[in-house]
Amino acid sequence: MCIRDRGSETSDTEQPITDAHIDAINQLFTELELAYHNQFHKAFPGDKTNVAKQLWLHSLLDLSPEEILRGGRRSIKESAYLPTLHTIREMSRPSLKEFGLPDVHSAYLEACRAPSPKAAHNWSHPAVYHAGRAADWYFLANNPERSAFPVFREHYQRLCQQVIDGEELTQPDTPALPQEHSTPLSLDERREKLRELRRELDL
């Protein structure tokens, strides 16, 4: 059963109800029914399917149609269980992997284990370095995970969102090695050095 009657043009949250959103919900329910047949019919028996679609439409209206479908398809791919509204919302977000970002715990371990100087380490993503620096390297190294991880996670998730939103994080500033300038000595300078050496050795 498809929902087609939009009724009011806005939801309770004043979000406009578009044909694209309706199509996305209809498509989502079709895909969920195919993937979770028995679970689906147990959760949405008979005529309750259309009522559920109306609920999901209004509850997910702040997401784009593309995000709604992405949430459903990721749920199908990653879970053996029929997703809830909350799961669809969580799964609608782009995965960190799509942006080359490690998951938050892997990023935490990388930040803790990276040798000094930190800026010279080959980081999996600049966000890991910047999160570690924001959390404070000394704090991470001298506190147990139960204390340090939440602090790191807060900084890392903020930086991940910046990356997802299109911001390009700067690479760590690698300390430059001091440049050595050596100019060959002239013949007279070499002779003077030799005379000084002989004086020192009393030759």
Side-chain angles (χ1 to χ4, degrees):
M1 184 180 295
C2 293
I3 48 173
R4 273 295 162 206
D5 182 11
R6 285 191 286 175
S8 171
E9 289 296 321
T10 59
S11 69
D12 294 337
T13 57
E14 300 301 322
Q15 293 278 359
I17 297 175
T18 67
D19 287 333
H21 280 91
I22 293 173
D23 290 340
I25 293 294
N26 284 327
Q27 180 67 26
L28 172 64
F29 269 66
T30 297
E31 293 179 6
L32 293 180
E33 182 178 12
L34 290 171
Y36 303 101
H37 188 270
N38 291 336
Q39 295 180 48
F40 181 91
H41 287 288
K42 186 175 181 180
F44 309 119
D47 57 358
K48 290 188 178 180
T49 303
N50 210 42
V51 176
K53 284 183 178 182
Q54 294 285 352
L55 172 63
W56 284 46
L57 173 64
H58 285 78
S59 299
L60 298 174
L61 204 54
D62 57 313
L63 302 180
S64 69
E66 294 76 19
E67 287 173 328
I68 292 171
L69 291 175
R70 177 168 58 200
R73 288 165 185 170
R74 279 189 64 196
S75 298
I76 292 170
K77 183 178 180 180
E78 299 179 18
S79 176
Y81 300 100
L82 183 71
T84 63
L85 272 168
H86 176 75
T87 304
I88 294 293
R89 184 173 294 281
E90 288 295 307
M91 292 291 188
S92 71
R93 300 171 182 169
S95 67
L96 298 182
K97 193 174 182 180
E98 293 177 41
F99 293 86
L101 292 156
D103 66 84
V104 64
H105 193 256
S106 297
Y108 168 75
L109 294 178
E110 181 182 358
C112 291
R113 294 171 180 171
S116 294
K118 302 293 187 181
H121 178 64
N122 184 24
W123 295 97
S124 60
H125 194 282
V128 183
Y129 167 79
H130 289 293
R133 189 176 66 173
D136 186 75
W137 301 118
Y138 182 84
F139 174 78
L140 294 179
N142 291 277
N143 286 276
E145 183 172 329
R146 66 177 180 274
S147 301
F149 178 65
V151 176
F152 176 87
R153 179 178 58 202
E154 180 180 350
H155 292 293
Y156 184 63
Q157 289 177 335
R158 173 179 54 80
L159 288 158
C160 286
Q161 189 58 53
Q162 291 176 222
V163 172
I164 291 170
D165 290 342
E167 183 174 336
E168 187 172 344
L169 301 180
T170 58
Q171 294 289 338
D173 292 326
T174 305
L177 295 174
Q179 295 183 351
E180 295 183 3
H181 298 282
S182 57
T183 305
L185 297 176
S186 66
L187 180 60
D188 290 338
E189 288 172 329
R190 291 200 299 271
R191 287 173 176 168
E192 180 59 32
K193 289 284 185 184
L194 183 58
R195 283 194 291 270
E196 290 177 2
L197 181 59
R198 285 175 172 170
R199 284 196 297 271
E200 290 173 4
L201 297 176
D202 197 21
L203 296 176

